[in-house]
Amino acid sequence: METNIDPNSWVDDYSDNLYRYAIVRVNDAQMAEDLVQETFLAGLKNLHTFQGKSNTQTWLIAILKRKIIDHYRKKSSRKEYSFDEPDERFADKMMMKDQWVKEKAPLSWNINADEQLENEEFMQILKACIKHLPEKWASCFVLKVMEEMKSDEVCKELELTSSNLWVILHRARLQLRECIEKGWL
């Protein structure tokens, strides 16, 4: 692939793409900038390990992915939630007890999901809704759904059991759906 890597050109050549990649995943401009900066520093520090099997941007994005995962791991370890006790935010909802309560059933979205994922307005609402999730829930959702990590990898990174991950994702999806229905539909 590339035989000559010039770290002096990284900021000019790759910062915009790395920033776009990070901002979609962390939904925080300052944090995205910090992660890109950390990526460049890690790239410089580990330049001797770059084997040239991929292009420089691909290598830097791989470093950035690791930084994003580390960010969510740190963020999710700040608060612990007990799954043995019911979550007070869902106390009045009686989550899916045998069947849907018609008045509380999800609304029909009647939209093509592929088209809507490209819709900028939808993504802004989704990002805003993710910000309202508890930190651990947001971390799990972003890593599993947006980063498309395997469940066992998310569990390992965030130090969760698979059943805890399932509960967190279930609750996060319910809250996101409710938020999207109120804010967008």
Side-chain angles (χ1 to χ4, degrees):
M1 290 272 174
E2 287 182 58
T3 56
N4 183 17
I5 305 171
D6 181 15
N8 296 320
S9 68
W10 286 358
V11 172
D12 291 335
D13 294 345
Y14 307 117
S15 60
D16 288 342
N17 288 339
L18 292 173
Y19 177 78
R20 280 193 294 272
Y21 185 89
I23 192 71
V24 167
R25 285 151 181 86
V26 298
N27 196 25
D28 178 334
Q30 184 62 49
M31 181 53 63
E33 290 174 9
D34 291 347
L35 289 169
V36 170
Q37 230 175 24
E38 289 176 26
T39 298
F40 287 140
L41 290 173
L44 283 172
K45 183 178 177 183
N46 297 298
L47 189 57
H48 66 281
T49 65
F50 183 65
Q51 299 174 355
K53 293 181 180 177
S54 63
N55 67 38
T56 305
Q57 180 172 305
T58 303
W59 181 64
L60 290 170
I61 286 178
I63 294 171
L64 179 58
K65 281 183 181 181
R66 189 75 232 162
K67 297 290 179 192
I68 291 168
I69 290 168
D70 290 345
H71 162 74
Y72 279 114
R73 183 187 308 122
K74 288 176 194 170
K75 193 174 177 181
S76 72
S77 66
R78 289 186 199 143
K79 292 182 182 177
E80 285 299 319
Y81 295 93
S82 169
F83 296 104
D84 298 328
E85 298 176 20
D87 188 327
E88 65 276 357
R89 291 173 297 161
F90 294 101
D92 67 330
K93 294 190 172 65
M94 296 303 293
M95 293 177 17
M96 289 194 263
K97 195 166 186 152
D98 296 328
Q99 60 184 333
W100 291 108
V101 177
K102 188 173 183 174
E103 296 78 37
K104 295 185 179 185
L107 300 174
S108 175
W109 288 12
N110 294 327
I111 49 180
N112 181 336
D114 291 334
E115 291 173 13
Q116 295 306 326
L117 285 177
E118 296 173 6
N119 184 309
E120 189 175 317
E121 180 185 2
F122 175 80
M123 289 307 292
Q124 288 174 348
I125 297 293
L126 178 61
K127 288 176 186 179
C129 290
I130 289 173
K131 276 189 172 182
H132 287 88
L133 291 175
E135 289 181 0
K136 184 166 274 195
W137 295 14
S139 299
C140 290
F141 183 81
V142 169
L143 293 177
K144 176 72 174 135
V145 177
M146 297 179 84
E147 282 295 313
E148 298 177 346
M149 286 178 66
K150 293 183 179 177
S151 295
D152 58 333
E153 292 173 357
V154 175
C155 289
K156 182 180 174 187
E157 294 297 335
L158 301 179
E159 298 175 353
L160 298 169
T161 65
S162 59
S163 59
N164 282 353
L165 176 64
W166 187 90
V167 170
I168 290 170
L169 288 173
H170 175 73
R171 290 180 177 178
R173 286 177 177 132
L174 286 176
Q175 189 169 334
L176 286 172
R177 181 175 184 122
E178 183 177 322
C179 179
I180 290 168
E181 286 176 348
K182 287 181 181 175
W184 194 55
L185 295 178

